[in-house]
């Protein structure tokens, strides 16, 4: 198949291709484009799951408001700062603060937290706090936040609405928020889940075209993993649905790299969860250039269960990545220095 940015027809051909020999060409192209545009550095982002409170009712997510049997936590600012210092001491360039959509994380509290982290470390600060008001996003950017992650989950508007009930009173859609984040000067990350019940190959092709249209700086793609306490876990797969497997996720990672050559693309925890033996490595070999070691304190980590048996539960505190430099070197890669922002 042709080199260059794939069009919709070529994307669909790759998504339907299941011959390992043919797929070698896709993996090679993704790896070549990755090397040419972002090099061999693998950037490490320390992930801190700062709160599992959530106001939303997403039918796929284990920390949805409707899950009454989950103990809720919100980390203290001092605890979050200690995690950021740990990320710095481990040599990471970025800390990612993630949470459910938690109204208890106020504009002022988050702004003060960002200010403190920027004062005490040289880390890039990425926020992933859900759909928040433009005034909040503006204040946090002013406080020094560099990046924001907000997956659009699927470009199929009807499917998105079905799995992500709207919250009354919210003025902007997720796509509008992504454009707002760009205007505010954030590096903007988004992404999708692969294999949502009701999701088709056409939907995945549209997701990839939207990655390019949005000119995303960061793209996270992981398989959908059913959580037994959620309504979507009971959904029966239909004919024509995309499988929520690792092969389809590798194809999406590789195609995301071809669509957005300079983007930062993580090999995600969800991918490492469904293929514990080699998901993380094959993600990096097929287009990804980022890892997000989990730095959430152990007592909170088990409560941030967006899907079951997250691979990060097996990681030690401190990231559990003692052998990372040699593991990467064996792949011809190395730990990236500095914040590892999008090259423009
Ligand atoms: N399976 C896989 N990924 C999930 N996420 C939430 N719930 C699940 C699940 N059950 C992903 C969403 C969200 C990100 C933080 O985690 O894509 O944006």
């Amino acid at each position: 198949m042709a080199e260059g940015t794939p069009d919709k027809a070529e994307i669909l051909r790759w998504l339907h291709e299941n011959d390992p020999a043919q797929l070698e060409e896709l993996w090679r192209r993704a790896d070549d484009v990755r090397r040419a545009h972002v090099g061999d550095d693998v950037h490490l982002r320390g992930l801190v799951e700062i709160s599992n409170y959530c106001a939303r009712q997403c039918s796929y997510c284990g920390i949805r408001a409707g899950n009454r049997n989950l103990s809720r936590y919100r980390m203290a600012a001092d605890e979050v700062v200690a995690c950021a210092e740990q990320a710095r001491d481990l040599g990471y360039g970025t800390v990612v603060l993630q949470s459910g959509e938690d109204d208890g994380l106020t504009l002022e509290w988050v702004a003060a937290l960002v200010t403190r982290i920027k004062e005490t470390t040289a880390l890039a600060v990425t926020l992933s706090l859900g759909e928040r008001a433009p005034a909040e996003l503006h204040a946090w950017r002013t406080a020094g936040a560099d990046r924001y992650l907000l997956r659009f989950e699927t470009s199929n508007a009807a499917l998105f609405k079905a799995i992500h009930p709207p919250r009354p009173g919210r003025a902007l859609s997720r796509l509008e928020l992504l454009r707002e984040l760009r205007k505010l000067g954030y590096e903007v990350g988004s992404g999708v889940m692969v294999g949502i019940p009701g999701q088709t190959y056409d939907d995945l092709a549209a997701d990839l075209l939207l990655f390019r249209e949005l000119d995303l700086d960061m793209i996270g793609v992981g398989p959908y993993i059913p959580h037994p306490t959620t309504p979507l876990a009971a959904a029966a797969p239909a004919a024509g649905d995309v499988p929520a497997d690792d092969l389809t996720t590798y194809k999406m990672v590789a195609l995301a790299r071809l669509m957005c050559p300079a983007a930062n693309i993580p090999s995600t925890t969800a991918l490492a969860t469904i293929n514990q033996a080699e998901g993380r490595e094959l993600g990096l070999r097929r287009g990804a250039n980022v890892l997000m070691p989990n730095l959430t304190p152990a007592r909170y980590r088990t409560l941030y269960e967006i899907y079951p048996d997250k691979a990060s539960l097996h990681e030690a505190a401190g990231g559990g990545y003692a052998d990372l430099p040699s593991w990467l070197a064996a792949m011809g890669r190395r730990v990236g220095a500095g914040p590892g922002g999008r090259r423009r």
Side-chain angles (χ1 to χ4, degrees):
M1 291 190 215
E3 302 288 318
T5 309
D7 59 11
K8 182 165 184 193
E10 189 188 355
I11 290 170
L12 283 170
R13 280 202 300 279
W14 281 124
L15 291 174
H16 285 287
E17 178 63 69
N18 283 324
D19 175 352
Q22 295 291 326
L23 283 167
E24 283 305 321
E25 185 192 330
L26 177 60
W27 312 146
R28 178 198 55 80
R29 270 174 67 187
D31 202 42
D32 286 351
V33 170
R34 186 271 307 157
R35 189 177 310 104
H37 289 265
V38 296
D40 290 330
D41 286 356
V42 173
H43 296 287
L44 305 181
R45 325 291 201 196
L47 177 65
V48 188
E49 295 151 338
I50 65 173
S51 163
N52 72 348
Y53 283 89
C54 192
R56 306 304 291 250
Q57 293 289 3
C58 305
S59 65
Y60 50 88
C61 183
I63 68 167
R64 64 199 301 274
N67 185 359
R68 303 257 168 240
N69 292 320
L70 180 66
S71 309
R72 303 286 172 167
Y73 71 89
R74 188 178 295 127
M75 288 173 67
D78 285 346
E79 293 177 304
V80 182
V81 172
C83 290
E85 288 170 344
Q86 186 186 19
R88 173 199 61 200
D89 296 345
L90 287 163
Y92 302 173
T94 301
V95 67
V96 181
L97 309 184
Q98 187 173 93
S99 70
E101 210 163 289
D102 177 7
D103 298 324
L105 300 178
T106 63
L107 180 156
E108 294 77 17
W109 188 89
V110 174
L113 177 65
V114 171
T115 302
R116 270 184 75 186
I117 294 174
K118 297 302 281 192
E119 276 168 7
T120 50
T121 74
L123 297 172
V125 173
T126 304
L127 300 178
S128 180
L129 309 178
E131 296 169 30
R132 305 292 306 229
E136 295 173 315
L137 301 173
H138 180 263
W140 302 337
R141 175 78 188 126
T142 305
D146 302 277
R147 310 180 184 141
Y148 204 97
L149 299 176
L150 184 66
R151 290 188 180 177
F152 60 75
E153 315 293 1
T154 171
S155 58
N156 176 332
L159 179 60
F160 181 70
K161 202 168 164 208
I163 64 171
H164 181 89
R167 188 175 177 191
R170 290 291 143 124
L172 299 184
S173 70
R174 259 189 202 207
L175 290 182
E176 288 166 332
L177 281 171
L178 289 169
R179 296 195 170 95
E180 180 70 20
L181 288 162
R182 170 80 69 210
K183 271 193 243 153
L184 291 170
Y186 283 95
E187 281 188 44
V188 180
S190 193
V192 296
M193 292 183 288
V194 175
I196 305 166
Q199 188 180 41
T200 66
Y201 286 97
D202 252 44
D203 293 335
L204 293 187
D207 294 345
L208 289 158
L209 294 166
L210 187 53
F211 291 165
R212 189 172 170 83
E213 184 191 321
L214 293 170
D215 188 24
L216 295 175
D217 302 305
M218 303 169 283
I219 302 172
V221 174
Y224 161 66
I225 302 172
H227 190 297
T229 67
T230 61
L232 199 62
D241 279 6
V242 164
D245 62 5
D246 58 333
L247 182 62
T248 313
T249 306
Y250 304 135
K251 292 179 195 173
M252 286 296 285
V253 168
L255 290 164
R257 173 60 65 200
L258 299 185
M259 300 304 284
C260 301
N264 283 315
I265 301 180
S267 184
T268 55
T269 302
L271 180 53
T273 298
I274 61 162
N275 183 342
Q276 303 217 353
E278 51 181 9
R280 202 179 310 260
E281 169 168 351
L282 290 179
L284 287 175
R285 287 191 187 277
R286 297 172 175 177
N289 71 319
V290 167
L291 289 175
M292 298 173 67
N294 195 316
L295 298 183
T296 309
R299 64 185 174 286
Y300 301 129
R301 205 184 289 190
T302 48
L303 300 175
Y304 200 84
E305 198 188 62
I306 51 186
Y307 50 82
D309 202 27
K310 276 163 69 191
S312 49
L313 293 176
H314 312 295
E315 286 173 18
Y321 277 84
D323 57 351
L324 193 67
S326 54
W327 183 75
L328 289 175
M331 271 187 270
R333 311 286 279 277
R334 58 172 177 257
V335 176
R342 159 85 181 269
R343 295 186 196 169
R344 289 216 171 248

